[in-house]
Amino acid sequence: MAKVNRVKSRNQTNITAVFPGSFDPFTKGHADIVERALAIFDRVIVGVLHNPSKTYLFEEQERVALIAKHFERLGDRVAVESFSGLLVDFVARTGSRVVLRGLRAVSDFDYEAQMALVNRRLAPQVETLFLTSREEHSYISSSVVKQVATLGGDVSEMVPAIINQALKRLYRHRAK
Ligand code: PNS
C-alpha cells in the first residue's frame, strides 16, 4: 500500500505572515487579504512603511492606529507595526519568514515579481506569497481612493468605515 505522508498539524507550528505596504490609506482590498490570510496563517503582522522622504496623506502613527482599530475585533491574530528601511530586515525582526502581498491584476505582477526577487536575493529564507484580490476589489487602489476623496467623491465602498471617517475628517478640515 502506498505510504501517505501526513501533513504536519497546523497546531504544531505557528506561522506568522507579514503583510507590508504604504496603506495610505488602507482599503477594503487590503482588509480582505488580511482576513483571508488568517484562514492560512496563525497571525498576520501588517507592516506599515514609513519612508521619511515621502509625503503621506496620513502620518505613520495615524495609519497604524486606524488599521489596528479596524482589526481590534480579531484580537492578537492581527498586529500592526510601522517600519522603515528594508522590508526583509523588518520581517527578520518579527521572526516571520513569509511576506504576503495581494495581486489585483496581471499589471501588478511585474512590480510584485521584481520586489519578490530582490527580497529573495537579500534574504533567501523569506518567501513571498500572493493572494489574488476579490473581483469586486480589483479596481481599488490607495491612489484611486485618494484622488476620489480629494475631489469630494464617495469612497465608502472602497475603504473600511473607520478609514472613510478619517478621510472625511481630513478633507472637512482642509476645506476650512
Ligand atoms: O503598498 P506599496 O506602496 O505598494 O508597498 C510597497 C512596499 C512597502 C512593500 C515596498 O516599497 C517595500 O518593501 N519597501 C521597503 C524598502 C525595501 O525593502 N525595498 C526593497 C524591495 S524592492
Side-chain angles (χ1 to χ4, degrees):
M1 210 165 71
K3 198 175 160 211
V4 178
N5 285 324
R6 284 188 190 282
V7 175
K8 222 170 154 191
S9 154
R10 271 188 69 226
N11 295 334
Q12 289 174 270
T13 47
N14 220 301
I15 304 180
T16 297
V18 172
F19 181 52
S22 305
F23 306 125
D24 190 39
F26 196 75
T27 67
K28 280 193 179 176
H30 295 135
D32 179 60
I33 297 286
V34 172
E35 289 186 22
R36 283 165 49 215
L38 289 175
I40 305 165
F41 303 105
D42 300 283
R43 251 180 114 226
V44 173
I45 299 176
V46 180
V48 179
L49 176 70
H50 175 64
N51 178 347
S53 58
K54 248 181 105 172
T55 309
Y56 294 97
L57 193 59
F58 293 107
E59 291 301 326
E60 168 194 5
Q61 283 317 315
E62 193 166 12
R63 279 178 284 147
V64 170
L66 288 168
I67 301 166
K69 187 93 188 133
H70 175 73
F71 289 119
E72 210 171 26
R73 74 204 138 87
L74 297 175
D76 61 7
R77 292 198 68 202
V78 180
V80 188
E81 291 175 31
S82 69
F83 76 100
S84 51
L86 285 177
L87 173 61
V88 289
D89 290 341
F90 173 63
V91 173
R93 286 198 295 278
T94 65
S96 168
R97 296 203 314 192
V98 179
V99 168
L100 176 69
R101 292 282 288 171
L103 275 181
R104 285 164 303 189
V106 185
S107 50
D108 282 343
F109 186 76
D110 276 354
Y111 172 63
E112 294 297 335
Q114 188 188 21
M115 265 204 312
L117 289 170
V118 172
N119 286 333
R120 187 180 302 142
R121 284 273 163 163
L122 295 170
Q125 74 282 5
V126 173
E127 289 291 354
T128 302
L129 302 180
F130 298 101
L131 281 182
T132 50
S133 297
R134 279 184 204 282
E135 228 173 274
E136 65 264 36
H137 295 149
S138 59
Y139 74 99
I140 306 175
S141 70
S142 297
S143 31
V144 159
V145 169
K146 260 185 279 200
Q147 203 178 103
V148 175
T150 318
L151 299 171
D154 179 13
V155 292
S156 56
E157 292 286 303
M158 303 182 213
V159 294
I162 193 150
I163 307 285
N164 193 31
Q165 288 155 18
L167 283 165
K168 282 186 177 166
R169 272 198 306 275
L170 188 77
Y171 288 112
R172 212 179 300 135
H173 183 74
R174 285 193 180 179
K176 279 183 188 165

